[in-house]
Amino acid sequence: MSQSQNDPATDAALLRAYAKGDARAAQSLAEAFTPLVYAHACRMLNDRAEAEDIAQEAMLRLWRAASGWDANGAATIRTWLYRVTANLCIDRLRKARPSEMPPDFDVADPAAGPEQRLQERTRRSALQAALMRLPERQRQAVVLRHIDGLGNSEIARIMDIGPRAVESLTARGKRSLSKLLSVHHSELGYEDETQRD
Amino acid sequence: MIEAFARERAARHDPPDGLVARIMDDARRLQRSPAPVEPLWRQILRALGGWPAAAGLAATAGIGLWIGVEVPAAMLEAGDNQIVLIESDLGSFDHLLLDG
């Protein structure tokens, strides 16, 4: 997943520069964080159009928070944006029934052959469908830990829970995913990998 | 599971065309809209430390004024304090309470 290449202090300095009127600072932040926010919303919602709205709203809130950013304490922009994005996604999920996987949700490697692409699309669709069947908090924890690759302490800050609760959520989420995927593992071309971990 | 997660992690969810541009439009629009000017009374209130501090200050000032205008008899007679009368045009302020 795309992530900001800057360290948190540089990101905060860019946000302060934006608050003082530097539009180029906003461009750097938008380019660094929009992919992160959009990808996280895609995985939480399984809907690109909704994810687009959420990403724009999350970044809008960042611009609004710029002038008082230092009052946010120790929160990094990345942690803050993950939290805002996840909250917006959860609000959206509670208001609307989750949509099905759009037919254009194919992000398989275009260089692969048609069969490989089809299998990869099927596998990724199966994972996304299984993720969508998890409770929201479990899904959020699993996505942040195992797909976005964040550490437990940062996830704890994003979700406003303790590190042990994060471990519990991710473990339960992973077990549920294994069960959901194991039903289809042979048709998805997996051998015993869903059993391995 | 590990392979499934790795595959999803490697997959790209690139933002659609125009999303960053729209986000930048928002950023510029917010920069252009001037920040609301804080009224003077609110600036003074904030400098004093907010409503609780201002209320305490007002109460103290009120009591001070009351003591100045209507010196309580008990205060005049208290302890060994010495009352010195000073002629002035300020009425009750003529009473000056000095430590005895």
Side-chain angles (χ1 to χ4, degrees):
Chain A
M1 129 171 259
S2 304
Q3 304 219 346
S4 167
Q5 300 299 309
N6 297 328
D7 65 88
T10 306
D11 290 335
L14 284 170
L15 193 58
R16 277 193 290 272
Y18 163 71
K20 288 177 184 167
D22 183 352
R24 284 173 306 175
Q27 184 77 39
S28 298
L29 289 169
E31 285 171 4
F33 287 108
T34 303
L36 179 150
V37 169
Y38 174 73
H40 190 60
C42 276
R43 288 172 176 133
M44 287 292 291
L45 298 171
N46 191 25
D47 185 318
R48 288 180 167 189
E50 292 271 15
E52 204 173 330
D53 288 347
I54 295 286
Q56 190 170 354
E57 175 64 25
M59 293 302 292
L60 181 66
R61 291 187 184 195
L62 180 67
W63 307 139
R64 284 190 180 136
S67 59
W69 181 256
D70 292 332
N72 273 313
T76 65
I77 292 177
R78 185 174 84 158
T79 302
W80 188 92
L81 275 173
Y82 265 123
R83 187 186 304 158
V84 168
T85 304
N87 289 340
L88 288 169
C89 288
I90 288 171
D91 285 349
R92 197 67 67 106
L93 286 166
R94 287 177 183 168
K95 281 178 192 160
R97 195 172 139 265
S99 61
E100 295 301 315
M101 177 79 73
D104 67 340
F105 207 79
D106 177 15
V107 285
D109 180 4
E115 279 182 28
Q116 272 180 299
R117 291 193 66 199
L118 181 62
Q119 186 174 58
E120 184 164 338
R121 186 199 299 184
T122 310
R123 285 175 165 188
R124 293 196 55 239
S125 296
L127 177 64
Q128 188 65 46
L131 277 171
M132 295 307 290
R133 291 182 63 183
L134 296 183
E136 289 152 6
R137 300 282 280 175
Q138 274 186 32
R139 186 190 321 156
Q140 186 185 1
V142 167
V143 168
L144 289 170
R145 180 76 190 88
H146 294 293
I147 299 174
D148 291 348
L150 305 189
N152 282 352
S153 57
E154 185 169 12
I155 298 172
R157 286 196 295 276
I158 291 166
M159 298 183 70
D160 203 19
I161 54 177
R164 286 188 182 184
V166 173
E167 284 173 22
S168 168
L169 277 172
T170 50
R172 278 185 285 138
K174 216 169 139 185
R175 273 200 302 275
S176 302
L177 278 179
S178 285
K179 276 186 197 166
L180 290 165
L181 289 175
S182 67
V183 176
H184 306 288
H185 74 275
S186 58
E187 65 199 72
L188 291 173
Y190 292 121
E191 291 176 0
D192 286 333
E193 71 175 53
T194 54
Q195 307 299 323
R196 275 207 311 265
D197 188 13
Chain B
M1 285 309 308
I2 292 172
E3 192 185 323
F5 287 140
R7 186 175 294 110
E8 181 59 32
R9 197 179 305 136
R12 296 177 63 85
H13 288 279
D14 290 330
D17 290 343
L19 178 57
V20 172
R22 285 198 297 282
I23 286 170
M24 280 307 298
D25 287 345
D26 288 341
R28 290 191 199 94
R29 183 170 47 80
L30 286 177
Q31 258 182 338
R32 277 198 302 271
S33 53
V37 178
E38 193 175 37
L40 182 63
W41 67 268
R42 196 182 283 272
Q43 290 177 39
I44 293 169
L45 187 65
R46 190 160 46 80
L48 289 173
W51 282 111
L57 187 63
T60 307
I63 291 169
L65 186 64
W66 175 66
I67 289 172
V69 174
E70 294 289 338
V71 184
M75 188 177 280
L76 294 174
E77 294 162 2
D80 295 325
N81 289 342
Q82 184 180 359
I83 302 300
V84 177
L85 292 175
I86 300 172
E87 292 295 327
S88 83
D89 296 332
L90 295 175
S92 295
F93 285 100
D94 290 352
H95 298 283
L96 183 64
L97 187 65
L98 296 175
D99 285 339

